[in-house]
Amino acid sequence: MPALWIAHVTVTDAEAYGKYAELAGPAIAKHGGTFVARGGRFVQLEGKERPRNVVARFPSVEAAVDCYNSPEYQEALDHARGASERELMVVETSE
């Protein structure tokens, strides 16, 4: 079953986070991920607001988790740590 990778982000260091984004995109694509939403307009209805929201579609939960644990994504993530406050989850879709 396909899965969605959903990230809610507050960027605290734009330069470092830019390097994360530069490296993360290819790592996500390498694992079959495609972006559905990336920092677009949103309306916060409940919970903590994060100004950047990203949704990527993967072939499966396992593909998304493999991407997260991959050396390429972990290298990207090194630039996001300390440059952002984030929540990230993977949700299996019903399609």
Side-chain angles (χ1 to χ4, degrees), residues 38-60:
R38 205 171 183 186
R41 187 178 143 203
F42 73 98
V43 176
Q44 184 73 30
L45 297 176
E46 293 186 19
K48 182 174 176 137
E49 182 173 303
R50 299 275 187 205
R52 182 164 177 79
N53 299 284
V54 178
V55 179
R57 184 180 182 87
F58 281 84
S60 65

Side-chain angles (χ1 to χ4, degrees), residues 1-78:
M1 296 282 270
L4 298 176
W5 162 307
I6 304 169
H8 305 291
V9 184
T10 299
V11 176
T12 57
D13 180 340
E15 185 176 332
Y17 199 81
K19 183 66 175 172
Y20 158 78
E22 180 183 314
L23 296 171
I28 288 168
K30 180 179 178 180
H31 290 87
T34 57
F35 290 102
V36 176
R38 205 171 183 186
R41 187 178 143 203
F42 73 98
V43 176
Q44 184 73 30
L45 297 176
E46 293 186 19
K48 182 174 176 137
E49 182 173 303
R50 299 275 187 205
R52 182 164 177 79
N53 299 284
V54 178
V55 179
R57 184 180 182 87
F58 281 84
S60 65
V61 168
E62 293 77 16
V65 172
D66 287 347
C67 176
Y68 182 85
N69 290 319
S70 72
E72 300 88 358
Y73 188 78
Q74 288 299 308
E75 179 185 353
L77 195 55
D78 284 343

